């Protein structure tokens, strides 16, 4: 794992954007893996800025998202479809039909999982996957205990995950209890993975990740089984390393 410690969230976001833009400059048909949460928001702002400045075109780019809540319609304000449209997709020239996000309201979720994995196999592999880390070490919505062999599947969200994401919902009852997510093995098929960790609240998970102990109870630790991972971490999230 390549570890790059950056001054702050802004520097981390700019560095991540540079890596994405370099990938697209190298290969205009690149397949990106995108994620949600607060951490990639700065990256998306830089990508939009770069696009508006004429640096990058996404006309031939394909993008896959990691996950979606179960039971939220695509146009629900808290769906990851809405998040991605508002935060990135609507502001760049990527073709809507080349953006893939699991459907959380499919009549057959089992079929949807199979279909999403087939899409990844047909259109992938993902050239560059952007990942955040949950405060319990989850990647995508692969909660502690998920098998490293998992492909796209349905998960029960941990209470800690629901609490972390509560800020986006009006009431606790509204926070979904289930989600669909790419599995750990689907994520590890990506050619390159860039993990973003920023802020004090990620200091514990960064310390744990960098202990290099690989265990099912800490899903992000499976990243040690991949040979092209870069961790971009800011000072605040790195502060416990070595202590
Ligand atoms: C959600 C997403 C993850 C993301 C995590 C961290 O649970 N499913 O993909 O990494 O949030 O979110 P944040 O960046 O807001 O800390």
């Amino acid at each position: 794992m390549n570890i790059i410690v950056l001054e702050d969230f802004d520097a981390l976001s700019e560095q991540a954007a540079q890596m994405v833009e370099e990938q697209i400059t190298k290969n205009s048909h690149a397949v990106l893996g995108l994620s949600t949460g607060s951490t990639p928001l700065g990256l998306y702002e830089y990508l939009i800025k770069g696009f508006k400045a004429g640096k990058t075109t996404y006309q031939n780019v394909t993008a896959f998202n990691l996950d979606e809540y179960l039971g939220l319609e695509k146009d629900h304000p808290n769906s990851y479809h809405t998040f991605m449209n508002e935060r990135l997709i609507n502001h760049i020239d990527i073709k809507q039909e080349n953006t893939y996000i699991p459907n959380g309201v499919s009549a057959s979720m089992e079929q949807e999982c199979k279909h999403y994995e087939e899409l990844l196999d047909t259109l992938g592999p993902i050239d560059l996957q952007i990942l955040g880390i949950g405060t319990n070490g989850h990647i995508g919505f692969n909660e502690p205990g998920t098998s490293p062999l998992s492909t796209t599947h349905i998960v029960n969200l941990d209470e800690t995950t629901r609490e972390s994401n509560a800020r986006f919902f009006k009431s606790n009852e509204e926070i979904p209890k289930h989600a669909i997510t790419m599995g750990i093995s689907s994520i590890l098929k990506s050619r390159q993975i860039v993990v973003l960790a920023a802020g004090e609240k990620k200091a514990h998970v960064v310390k744990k990740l960098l202990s290099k102990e690989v265990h099912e109870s800490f899903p992000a630790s499976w990243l040690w089984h991949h040979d092209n991972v870069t961790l971009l971490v800011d000072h605040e999230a790195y502060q416990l390393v070595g202590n």
Side-chain angles (χ1 to χ4, degrees):
M1 190 177 296
N2 189 9
I3 299 152
I4 305 179
V5 184
L6 295 134
E7 186 60 34
D8 54 21
F9 180 68
D10 185 60
L12 174 147
S13 304
E14 193 173 14
Q15 172 79 32
Q18 262 174 29
M19 293 176 82
V20 172
E21 287 166 351
E22 270 167 27
Q23 178 66 50
I24 298 169
T25 307
K26 237 179 14 197
N27 172 12
S28 63
H29 287 74
V31 180
L32 300 179
L34 301 176
S35 71
T36 53
S38 316
T39 317
L41 286 178
L43 154 67
Y44 296 155
E45 280 173 20
Y46 270 105
L47 293 182
I48 294 168
K49 231 198 277 172
F51 166 70
K52 291 197 167 146
K55 254 202 217 170
T56 325
T57 171
Y58 296 82
Q59 262 171 7
N60 298 313
V61 167
T62 298
F64 279 94
N65 261 79
L66 288 162
D67 46 18
E68 178 58 285
Y69 289 115
L70 237 66
L72 298 194
E73 295 289 342
K74 288 183 187 172
D75 61 358
H76 187 284
N78 291 120
S79 76
Y80 284 166
H81 279 81
T82 301
F83 179 100
M84 287 312 297
N85 285 336
E86 288 179 352
R87 300 304 191 147
L88 182 67
I89 292 168
N90 291 349
H91 307 283
I92 57 175
D93 64 347
I94 192 165
K95 296 187 184 113
Q96 195 55 251
E97 67 266 28
N98 291 342
T99 66
Y100 297 90
I101 303 179
N103 177 6
V105 290
S106 168
S108 163
M109 287 312 300
E110 200 184 314
Q111 195 50 41
E112 175 62 17
C113 292
K114 211 169 145 237
H115 171 63
Y116 204 69
E117 201 62 33
E118 279 164 8
L119 281 171
L120 283 164
D121 283 341
T122 314
L123 303 170
I126 288 171
D127 293 299
L128 194 162
Q129 172 70 57
I130 300 292
L131 277 189
I133 313 186
T135 43
N136 62 359
H138 74 212
I139 49 176
F141 267 136
N142 291 284
E143 301 285 31
T146 308
S147 162
L149 304 176
S150 52
T151 54
T152 303
H153 63 292
I154 304 299
V155 295
N156 295 330
L157 296 175
D158 272 12
E159 268 319 299
T160 52
T161 300
R162 295 184 69 236
E163 275 160 30
S164 301
N165 292 338
R167 63 191 191 278
F168 299 111
F169 293 86
K170 282 196 215 103
S171 67
N172 263 15
E173 296 74 67
E174 269 191 46
I175 315 167
K177 294 198 164 76
H178 306 277
I180 173 170
T181 184
M182 277 166 61
I184 292 175
S185 103
S186 345
I187 293 172
L188 294 181
K189 279 183 205 158
S190 311
R191 289 199 164 105
Q192 185 187 0
I193 299 177
V194 176
V195 187
L196 310 178
E200 204 181 351
K201 69 174 196 227
K202 295 295 164 70
H204 280 100
V205 277
V206 168
K207 183 181 163 80
K208 203 162 172 185
L209 176 66
L210 296 185
S211 75
K212 299 191 184 172
E213 200 188 312
V214 178
H215 199 271
E216 249 179 37
S217 61
F218 192 67
S221 65
W222 295 113
L223 294 168
W224 288 104
H225 284 199
H226 192 285
D227 63 7
N228 192 356
V229 177
T230 301
L231 170 68
L232 301 183
V233 53
D234 71 357
H235 275 306
E236 282 188 12
Y238 196 70
Q239 62 183 295
L240 295 179
V241 177
N243 289 338

